Amino acid sequence: AASGPLRFVAMARYLATVAATVCVLGLAVMAKASCVDSPEGWVDSSRNACAKYVSSSWCTPEGGLGSEWSVSWGTFEDFRAHSHTAATACCGCGGGSTNTNQART
């Protein structure tokens, strides 16, 4: 184990690494938190909103078909409306819009 000044330097490097990691993770959380469904008020061709897709487990956060999506329904493309699917319009389904002008730490 380091002692004296070397111990101080090692601790300073460790704390700098932790601070950088927290900063990066904080930005990722801020970006996700600032996501908005876009276009605002989007509904699919059957009038289902983003909230329905998420609460019904019809989609995954990565934009895939969710555990409760029935393959007999087809794909998200079959419900495209206003040039969007749930995967492009809904934050909870991997889409939406984020504000990338967040303050940096």
Side-chain angles (χ1 to χ4, degrees):
S3 64
L6 290 177
R7 187 174 189 184
F8 176 77
V9 170
M11 181 58 79
R13 285 184 181 147
Y14 171 77
L15 291 175
T17 302
V18 169
T21 302
V22 169
C23 182
V24 169
L25 292 176
L27 287 176
V29 169
M30 286 174 58
K32 190 66 172 174
S34 66
C35 185
V36 293
D37 296 336
S38 179
E40 185 179 348
W42 177 86
V43 293
D44 70 12
S45 61
S46 292
R47 311 285 303 151
N48 293 300
C50 291
K52 180 70 173 177
Y53 274 81
V54 174
S55 67
S56 298
S57 298
W58 289 349
C59 66
T60 66
E62 296 78 29
L65 301 177
S67 60
E68 297 301 315
W69 183 268
S70 174
V71 292
S72 67
W73 299 340
T75 68
F76 293 154
E77 284 295 326
D78 297 313
F79 295 89
R80 178 178 284 276
H82 309 289
S83 303
H84 287 279
T85 68
T88 62
C90 306
C91 292
C93 299
S97 178
T98 57
N99 180 357
T100 57
N101 294 325
Q102 294 290 336
R104 303 209 185 271
T105 57

